[in-house]
Amino acid sequence: MSVLVYTETEDGKFKKAAFEVASYAKEVAGGDDVVAVSFNAADASELGQYGVSKVLNIQNDKLSKFNAEAYADALKQAAEKEGSKIVVVSQSANSKYLAPLLAVHLNAGYASNVMAAPESTDPFTVKRSAFTNKAFNFTKITTDVKIVGLSQNAFGLKENQGDATLEDFSPELKKGDFSVNVESVDKAKDKVTIADAEIVVSGGRGLKGPENWGMIEEMAEILGAATACSKPVSDMGWRPHSEHVGQTGKPVASNLYIAVGISGAIQHLAGINAAKTKVVINNDPEAPFFKAADYGVVGDAFEIVPKLNEKLKEFKAKNA
Amino acid sequence: MKILVCISHVPDTTSKINFTEGDSKFDTNGVNFVINPNDEFGLTRAMWFKEKQGASVDVVNVGGAETEPTLRKALAIGADNAIRVDTPATDGFQVAKQLAKVAKEGEYDLIIAGRESIDYNGGMVPGMLAALLDANFINTCISLEVEGDKATAIREIDGGKETLTASLPLVIGGQKGLVEESDLKIPNMRGIMQARKKPLNVVAAEEVSTQTEAVKFKKPAPKGDVKLVDPENLDELIDLLHNEAKAI
Ligand SMILES: Cc1cc2nc3c(=O)[nH]c(=O)nc-3n(C[C@H](O)[C@H](O)[C@H](O)COP(=O)(O)OP(=O)(O)OC[C@H]3O[C@@H](n4cnc5c(N)ncnc54)[C@H](O)[C@@H]3O)c2cc1C
């Protein structure tokens, strides 16, 4: 038996999520092999560091852009060839897109939003977040083949010095695999995404207007963080919709979430609760966010943030 | 164009989340149920197709009789027919299977579901449904146009967006962006009156075995109190974040 992982790349380089699913698979596999499937990776052998013993290395120009159906088909063929009973994917937008397709193709039960190593392997039971982080749901997967969708930063990275052998893999692609055609991709380069970020700096209506986001962007730059915002901020067009986080926006699962001028409405908190450490800066000591945060500063954001930015710069200079 | 909108019946976003029967079931006591927000954006887009391009719009839910007020609300917003598959929703696969049967029988061109329901957040049904139907699938869809049998969609990806084209039949996992928040329709009196007379067909469920089983729920441990830092002493915040939280 082996555990199969989908190791995502961006411009040929592995994403952190790829190393995380590999680390997780190694734990689940026990003594068995972890086999990775990579698409057009520049150096697939890197996966050895995280416990992968074999990489099915796909190099195919037709797969240079992510395509859910084609990638799901390739993963299906890999799982069948390896006789894998467990497949681990991340919960990136792309993985969430392909996992349900793969589940049907493999006749596999799929558990999304998995938060930890399995509670038990027989029966196979995993802990998942549900009700937008307001609860956990322990789910038993009852099928022979199982798919685990591992939430970002839920397991972390575990190094596992070893060598991964590379095997060329050429899945047979059908015409139907490309019947959804990717016409163009519009992606900010060199900008940390909310999904991948270790730190997210977020602003709310308390910032009064889009012209005041300079200090938020500055903090994000100092910390190498992604920027985010509350829903009304994106509804009013102060910031792009893609920055809206919360129950009806993007989920945040970063290590650190810094909220500036955000009241902490239940719908906002639901989406950011999975962040490990939460900091709030708000001039209203009664703001509900103070009940959800680990650290808080009561005061005017327009005074605090510029000062904090200066201090963060000094800190970074010292700790670089 | 024949459109089917899949409607999930979910606790509203302010609901207190509690469990009963030894933490094995969601406690619906005192909970107000609504149309899943992601589905509501899709329903509103379907109404746009109906008004601007001519389309019929059916709505479907897999669930017990308690979900009917939610389907009636969708009818009041303007859907033509409602279908309820009479069985509790137990897992994503079981729901997708039931929906696939309805979708096949109705020969729909476009099936609009939500990216995820806000209760279990599974995010499985739209993709599984598409795969079961062998239809094209576009997830996290924030814009959708249809010309003849060709659809152009924009999908949200991590850190940006992507433009895709596909022919019908198509299944989408929709979300905010399909229409603006301000375009969401609140049913008016006339709509509510008409909805009472519109057909709500209850159909028997297929025998389907589930693939997953929710065995237990648990609420996160209560969080400790917030540590307040004096705005005049921001060095302390940096120290806490560095040494205590190990977050910077
Ligand atoms: C169905 C539904 C879904 C929703 N989904 C989401 C969601 O996904 N995400 C989301 O964010 N919201 C969501 N909401 C909206 C949510 O209920 C709140 O309205 C929203 O989060 C409030 O945004 P805010 O905190 O930026 O603004 P406000 O609530 O207006 O808070 C602004 C805060 O800034 C503080 N402030 C003002 N001036 C200053 C200053 N100078 N310095 C420091 N602080 C200052 C104020 O004290 C206040 O606490 C949803 C609502 C509904 C009904």
Side-chain angles (χ1 to χ4, degrees):
Chain A
M1 206 210 70
S2 64
V3 176
L4 194 80
V5 288
Y6 165 41
T7 43
E8 289 166 77
T9 47
E10 177 92 43
D11 298 327
K13 286 220 295 276
F14 288 108
K15 300 194 6 165
K16 184 183 162 204
F19 299 137
E20 190 173 19
V21 291
S23 306
Y24 185 91
K26 179 71 183 167
E27 170 117 351
V28 174
D32 292 325
D33 283 344
V34 176
V35 179
V37 183
S38 72
F39 296 81
N40 299 321
D43 177 13
S45 64
E46 265 185 280
L47 293 169
Q49 287 169 38
Y50 296 93
V52 171
S53 46
K54 179 163 93 178
V55 184
L56 298 177
N57 189 16
I58 302 174
Q59 298 290 340
N60 183 338
D61 286 345
K62 275 164 97 182
L63 298 173
S64 61
K65 273 187 259 173
F66 175 82
N67 181 308
E69 188 59 58
Y71 276 43
D73 193 8
L75 288 167
K76 170 191 184 251
Q77 292 174 41
E80 284 173 352
K81 170 172 129 51
E82 296 295 323
S84 310
K85 296 292 182 207
I86 299 173
V87 181
V88 186
V89 302
S90 82
Q91 294 285 269
S92 67
N94 287 352
S95 287
K96 279 186 172 171
Y97 188 1
L98 68 73
L101 303 174
L102 182 61
V104 170
H105 296 335
L106 284 175
N107 209 357
Y110 165 44
S112 53
N113 304 319
V114 169
M115 300 304 294
E119 296 283 302
S120 72
T121 46
D122 188 20
F124 194 87
T125 310
V126 286
K127 178 183 182 181
R128 307 164 65 192
S129 72
F131 297 93
T132 334
N133 297 311
K134 287 180 221 161
F136 298 112
N137 167 1
F138 295 85
T139 299
K140 191 161 87 183
I141 308 180
T142 50
T143 45
D144 182 35
V145 181
K146 303 164 179 70
I147 302 179
V148 173
L150 178 67
S151 288
Q152 203 91 349
N153 288 330
F155 187 76
L157 303 185
K158 284 210 179 126
E159 294 219 17
N160 226 309
Q161 251 349 302
D163 286 323
T165 54
L166 306 192
E167 182 180 312
D168 291 337
F169 182 54
S170 311
E172 268 176 55
L173 299 170
K174 303 185 290 288
K175 193 159 156 273
D177 287 341
F178 297 95
S179 63
V180 174
N181 187 46
V182 183
E183 303 284 342
S184 63
V185 183
D186 173 8
K187 198 171 167 160
K189 289 259 174 231
D190 308 323
K191 213 173 163 225
V192 201
T193 66
I194 293 171
D196 291 331
E198 295 288 331
I199 303 177
V200 174
V201 182
S202 189
R205 195 147 55 180
L207 289 176
K208 312 272 190 289
E211 66 281 5
N212 296 326
W213 246 263
M215 60 185 192
I216 299 293
E217 283 178 339
E218 187 185 4
M219 191 191 293
E221 198 179 315
I222 299 166
L223 294 171
T227 49
C229 68
S230 68
K231 180 167 170 289
V233 165
S234 72
D235 286 345
M236 290 182 291
W238 293 0
R239 301 294 294 175
H241 279 304
S242 54
E243 285 197 1
H244 159 205
V245 297
Q247 186 159 12
T248 52
K250 286 204 169 62
V252 175
S254 55
N255 260 328
L256 177 60
Y257 183 74
I258 303 178
V260 184
I262 299 178
S263 59
I266 186 165
Q267 296 94 349
H268 184 85
L269 295 178
I272 60 100
N273 255 336
K276 292 212 170 60
T277 301
K278 294 175 268 288
V279 177
V280 56
I281 300 172
N282 194 308
N283 61 3
D284 173 11
E286 300 298 322
F289 214 125
F290 285 103
K291 292 212 169 60
D294 302 284
Y295 304 108
V297 187
V298 179
D300 184 355
F302 296 100
E303 284 169 27
I304 294 168
V305 175
K307 270 200 251 167
L308 184 59
N309 283 349
E310 288 312 310
K311 294 196 182 290
L312 283 169
K313 265 189 230 160
E314 286 166 28
F315 168 81
K316 281 284 170 186
K318 261 188 272 156
N319 290 271
Chain B
M1 177 163 60
K2 280 193 82 178
I3 305 177
L4 179 67
V5 183
C6 307
I7 301 281
S8 174
H9 162 88
V10 299
D12 85 23
T13 56
T14 56
S15 302
K16 290 250 171 333
I17 305 299
N18 288 306
F19 302 98
T20 58
E21 298 180 35
D23 283 337
S24 69
K25 293 241 150 51
F26 175 61
D27 185 358
T28 57
N29 221 331
V31 170
N32 178 35
F33 282 84
V34 295
I35 299 177
N36 181 42
N38 291 314
D39 308 349
E40 202 177 345
F41 290 106
L43 175 62
T44 309
R45 188 64 189 162
M47 298 320 304
W48 185 93
F49 285 122
K50 179 178 164 174
E51 283 157 23
K52 298 285 191 315
Q53 297 184 202
S56 68
V57 178
D58 292 354
V59 290
V60 60
N61 167 264
V62 177
E66 72 281 1
T67 71
E68 289 192 2
T70 298
L71 283 174
R72 287 273 174 223
K73 184 174 172 206
L75 291 172
I77 288 172
D80 302 306
N81 295 289
I83 303 160
R84 179 170 68 81
V85 183
D86 189 23
T87 182
T90 45
D91 81 338
F93 179 72
Q94 176 253 5
V95 171
K97 272 282 223 194
Q98 305 294 353
L99 292 173
K101 180 158 175 277
V102 170
K104 251 190 212 128
E105 284 172 5
E107 298 184 328
Y108 294 94
D109 306 297
L110 174 63
I111 300 172
I112 301 179
R115 148 194 109 181
E116 66 177 28
S117 66
I118 61 161
D119 48 4
Y120 295 98
N121 313 119
M124 306 173 175
V125 170
M128 288 182 171
L129 175 58
L132 290 168
L133 293 171
D134 207 13
N136 289 326
F137 174 51
I138 295 174
N139 203 21
T140 53
C141 188
I142 54 172
S143 157
L144 179 66
E145 304 286 345
V146 178
E147 249 357 291
D149 79 336
K150 210 164 179 270
T152 304
I154 300 178
R155 162 174 97 93
E156 191 169 75
I157 58 176
D158 293 331
K161 50 198 176 184
E162 217 172 69
T163 305
L164 308 122
T165 53
S167 55
L168 305 182
L170 170 71
V171 178
I172 67 156
Q175 62 181 56
K176 183 175 129 179
L178 271 179
V179 299
E180 287 305 316
E181 182 106 8
S182 51
D183 295 329
L184 291 179
K185 294 188 188 228
I186 298 162
N188 57 21
M189 215 42 213
R190 199 168 134 247
I192 294 168
M193 296 303 284
Q194 284 175 339
R196 291 196 188 142
K197 294 194 211 93
K198 288 182 182 172
L200 193 165
N201 301 321
V202 179
V203 302
E206 250 194 318
E207 195 67 45
V208 176
S209 54
T210 57
Q211 298 185 326
T212 61
E213 201 181 305
V215 282
K216 191 175 66 178
F217 294 92
K218 202 165 139 186
K219 296 222 268 182
K223 217 193 56 59
D225 282 344
V226 62
K227 272 195 193 159
L228 288 181
V229 173
D230 187 333
E232 297 306 321
N233 190 10
L234 293 171
D235 288 321
E236 188 192 344
L237 180 62
I238 290 174
D239 180 60
L240 287 167
L241 288 176
H242 182 58
N243 292 316
E244 189 176 82
K246 312 227 178 291
I248 59 172

